[in-house]
Amino acid sequence: MHLLFLSSLLPDGVATTGFEIANAAIVAAYRRQGVRLTIAGFRREGARPAQEGEIDLGTIVLENAAATARQKALWLLGALSSGRTVSAEKLARHSRSGLMRRLAEADPVDGYVLNSVQMPIAYPFLANDKPAIFVAHNVEHRSAEENAANADDPLNRLLYRREARILRREETRICRQAAVVHTLSADDRAGLGLETDRRAVPLALSIGRDGGIADDGVRRHDVGLIGTWSWAPNRVGLDWFLETVVPLLPADVTVAIAGRMDGPPPQVPANVRFVGRVPDAQGFVRASRVVALATKGGTGVQLKTIETFEEGLPAVATPAALRGIDAVPENVRVAYEPQAFADGIAELVAAERAGGAVRLDGARFAERQRAALDAGITRGLAIFAAAACKSSVTTLPDSARTPAPSEVAERISC
């Protein structure tokens, strides 16, 4: 089977953001099932050139933090004019014929994997051009609704509400047209209105980090947080942690915060420091005595949660940080309120300082996640193959000969 994986971004060597890490895990799972995958997407400026099996759709600026004020204004004006979301407007660089010429470089394909909503919103015809698998990384309209509720500025609140309306409509359309819908948590099926739809198959995710590396014992800070803080749902959790949890921590507990942020970081006490993007995210979390998983909104799965558990690291987590996790490790404290969160951190930091065995072997957790991911991909491919076989017959003109099963099976087993 040959599928075209359509995403906003091509891989760029080492995955750093949650979106890139999830993409790498999903792509690897398809390839473990024997699927030939061609990846099509855009490149960030300065990213590595497209590799064999990839189609470069052009160089693009995606993150607001890397864009000029003029570029942001052009995106917004374009989105208001076209009726697209701003994120989709950034990708709408090609005409239909122009994009199809580029995608034809993949040779004949059996269908598409639509990786998140941005590409099928920017290019609506992709959702029904061929049989498609839609990977819903989040329930995007819910995230936009949360952003609107948390926005301080009235204009931003209006813009987020507009995005939420468009996303709700487009997610409904894409899910309706797709042969398979993969969500990254079981809860997201309900968010997309697919609770009882057999086409909706949740995917577990495995980061694939090497949790077998020996602990060198070096701790550079007591508490570590890492994330893409320029993404509004992540920033809500960070602000909650800084405003309500940090004041309750013992004064000698040090906190390090890694990751990209729009604008300057907020004012914080002396025991908290921002370190920006780190070259080795795995090394950063390993140098933490405890990981704080302070998610307070959003949808989908928290990749930093999975990475923490695969590393076997002690952590304190909000319930929202545990979406998509069936079994919580013994060295993780679940906290609903700021005081419980701070108490959990203080307990684990004290135990680690005293030499307690608070780190676990995360290999078993990683193996369960990977097995569940492969099972979800396998199930989705079976549903997709049945839909593609039906499409290959029903879309033939009346005068055409119905292909023998062996002919179709050369590409899809019918």
Side-chain angles (χ1 to χ4, degrees):
M1 185 185 298
H2 182 195
L3 298 178
L4 183 59
F5 190 91
L6 289 152
S7 187
S8 54
L9 282 174
L10 289 175
D12 184 22
V14 178
T16 55
T17 68
F19 182 65
E20 292 167 329
I21 292 168
N23 292 347
I26 293 167
V27 165
Y30 274 111
R31 287 175 170 159
R32 285 197 296 273
Q33 305 313 309
V35 175
R36 178 188 170 197
L37 214 61
T38 298
I39 304 174
F42 294 88
R43 295 170 56 246
R44 291 190 182 96
E45 292 184 9
R48 67 159 172 77
Q51 308 292 299
E52 184 177 355
E54 296 176 354
I55 299 173
D56 183 355
L57 298 179
T59 302
I60 198 169
V61 175
L62 285 180
E63 290 83 5
N64 288 336
T68 64
R70 180 177 181 275
Q71 179 62 74
K72 293 176 187 176
L74 290 174
W75 285 334
L76 177 56
L77 291 172
L80 293 173
S81 174
S82 66
R84 291 185 277 257
T85 61
V86 173
S87 58
E89 185 66 26
K90 298 173 184 180
L91 306 178
R93 303 272 298 276
H94 299 281
S95 65
R96 175 170 182 159
S97 60
L99 180 66
M100 296 309 292
R101 281 195 299 271
R102 303 293 290 274
L103 299 184
E105 297 173 20
D107 299 324
V109 298
D110 298 300
Y112 297 150
V113 179
L114 303 174
N115 186 48
S116 196
V117 298
Q118 285 78 20
M119 286 293 282
I121 294 178
Y123 304 99
F125 57 87
L126 290 174
N128 59 8
D129 180 65
K130 289 182 181 293
I133 298 170
F134 173 43
V135 181
H137 284 244
N138 299 282
V139 182
E140 300 286 356
H141 76 266
R142 283 195 174 175
S143 296
E145 288 169 352
E146 290 180 4
N147 292 342
N150 292 314
D152 295 327
D153 180 81
L155 177 59
N156 283 335
R157 193 176 304 119
L158 285 173
L159 292 175
Y160 278 128
R161 286 174 179 168
R162 173 188 178 272
E163 296 265 310
R165 289 193 298 272
I166 296 171
L167 287 164
R168 180 185 288 274
R169 181 189 71 227
E170 290 298 287
E171 284 176 320
T172 299
R173 174 183 66 84
I174 297 164
C175 288
R176 183 177 65 249
Q177 293 174 329
V180 179
V181 178
H182 284 307
T183 60
L184 301 190
S185 77
D187 291 346
D188 283 1
R189 288 184 299 182
L192 293 170
L194 302 173
E195 307 98 308
T196 60
D197 196 319
R198 65 179 297 275
R199 298 173 303 133
V201 181
L203 296 180
L205 285 182
S206 173
I207 307 302
R209 300 297 198 200
D210 185 4
I213 297 177
D215 180 13
D216 61 8
V218 175
R219 307 290 182 263
R220 297 184 176 85
H221 40 268
D222 293 318
V223 184
L225 292 85
I226 187 167
T228 303
W229 310 116
S230 55
W231 191 48
N234 282 353
R235 182 59 186 266
V236 170
L238 176 62
D239 289 344
W240 174 83
F241 177 80
L242 292 174
E243 293 167 9
T244 68
V245 177
V246 167
L248 302 175
L249 293 175
D252 65 338
V253 170
T254 60
V255 178
I257 301 167
R260 181 191 298 119
M261 180 175 292
D262 280 342
Q267 293 294 316
V268 291
N271 62 329
V272 179
R273 61 192 176 96
F274 289 88
V275 299
R277 293 189 69 178
V278 291
D280 181 5
Q282 192 174 15
F284 172 83
V285 295
R286 282 179 174 160
S288 312
R289 296 186 191 278
V290 178
V291 178
L293 302 168
T295 304
K296 293 299 289 182
T299 55
V301 70
Q302 295 293 298
L303 272 296
K304 52 182 175 275
T305 299
I306 295 172
E307 181 173 15
T308 298
F309 293 177
E310 289 190 358
E311 291 280 354
L313 300 177
V316 181
T318 60
L322 300 175
R323 289 190 299 262
I325 304 297
D326 292 330
V328 178
E330 296 175 2
N331 61 346
V332 175
R333 305 291 179 266
V334 183
Y336 292 79
E337 301 296 337
Q339 187 65 63
F341 205 100
D343 291 345
I345 288 175
E347 173 200 343
L348 289 171
V349 167
E352 214 275 348
R353 285 177 177 174
V358 295
R359 298 200 173 198
L360 304 177
D361 181 0
R364 290 181 62 186
F365 177 86
E367 288 168 3
R368 287 197 304 269
Q369 289 292 114
R370 176 168 164 162
L373 171 59
D374 286 350
I377 291 290
T378 299
R379 182 180 167 197
L381 287 172
I383 297 170
F384 171 81
C389 287
K390 181 179 179 181
S391 175
S392 70
V393 173
T394 59
T395 58
L396 288 172
D398 294 340
S399 59
R401 177 181 61 87
T402 300
S406 60
E407 294 177 278
V408 182
E410 291 180 4
R411 297 193 327 190
I412 294 181
S413 298
C414 296

